[in-house]
Amino acid sequence: MVVLQTMRLALSPCCPEDRVDFIDLELDPEVMRLLNGGHPVNPEQIDPNAPFLMPRGTEAHVWTARRTTNNAFVGWFCLWPENETLAELGYRLRRMDWGQGLASEGALALVNWGFRSGGYDKIVGTTMAVNHASRRVMEKVGMTHARTDYVDRPDPIPGSEEGEVWYELTRSEWSGG
């Protein structure tokens, strides 16, 4: 993996030194609200079958996002390979960095890298239907809504009844950023 540079962000391959910042994200109930109902994740009791990624700094497909101006931690982005030609886009940002366009900026950098250098033919992303901010990020990077799945969860969280939306972008649809 390479370092990806945007106007305001440097995305670097994650490393063990990022663990504390990653865990801090999971301790923020608002950050976790649409992932697990806002429950902080106990870093010592991680469920290996959790339905969402909880990086610890050793994951091969996770980039740590820091501001270019002061190296402040912003969050993480991932382009998780499902197979050789398909990857899933993911991201999680600190609440104080929401609403500034940083999620779109980092996601676009990863999508462009995925098509230019990663060898992917399709990139997908998922979120709860009620997560309008995340849906907007995916739309800004050129992804389109492909489907909505309705899944019975053993412990449903508010909004889960509206489903999980899937967005996708193929290499042929990609504008080349």
Side-chain angles (χ1 to χ4, degrees):
M1 286 182 11
V2 298
V3 173
L4 303 175
Q5 193 83 26
T6 72
M7 197 69 138
R8 298 176 292 169
L9 296 174
L11 279 65
S12 304
C14 72
C15 64
E17 290 77 24
D18 297 322
R19 185 177 197 273
V20 170
D21 289 324
F22 292 165
I23 289 171
D24 283 347
L25 279 176
E26 296 162 6
L27 293 175
D28 184 329
E30 272 306 296
V31 169
M32 300 304 291
R33 183 172 58 89
L34 296 175
L35 293 168
N36 69 358
H39 306 291
V41 175
N42 181 337
E44 306 308 320
Q45 298 177 344
I46 293 180
D47 177 3
N49 298 315
F52 50 86
L53 181 61
M54 294 178 289
R56 290 297 176 257
T58 58
E59 295 75 16
H61 306 284
V62 176
W63 281 261
T64 301
R66 296 189 180 278
R67 288 192 181 264
T68 55
T69 54
N70 60 7
N71 205 39
F73 177 77
V74 171
W76 58 260
F77 292 84
C78 73
L79 201 53
W80 202 265
E82 298 292 327
N83 59 46
E84 289 181 8
T85 61
L86 172 69
E88 183 174 352
L89 175 68
Y91 39 86
R92 193 168 304 147
L93 275 62
R94 295 183 314 166
R95 188 176 358 161
M96 66 187 296
D97 293 306
W98 292 356
Q100 300 172 39
L102 295 171
S104 299
E105 192 172 314
L108 183 59
L110 226 52
V111 165
N112 289 339
W113 178 87
F115 287 128
R116 282 191 187 121
S117 304
Y120 299 114
D121 292 327
K122 182 188 280 188
I123 296 174
V124 299
T126 66
T127 190
M128 287 180 56
V130 297
N131 190 343
H132 299 290
S134 192
R135 293 179 75 167
R136 185 70 188 123
V137 167
M138 290 187 275
E139 291 165 359
K140 283 183 177 179
V141 302
M143 300 173 97
T144 56
H145 179 256
R147 70 178 196 265
T148 303
D149 291 338
Y150 299 91
V151 179
D152 288 328
R153 297 175 178 232
D155 296 317
I157 59 177
S160 61
E161 68 281 357
E162 294 189 36
E164 181 94 0
V165 291
W166 286 75
Y167 280 74
E168 63 184 39
L169 179 63
T170 63
R171 177 184 296 279
S172 64
E173 298 165 331
W174 172 61
S175 67

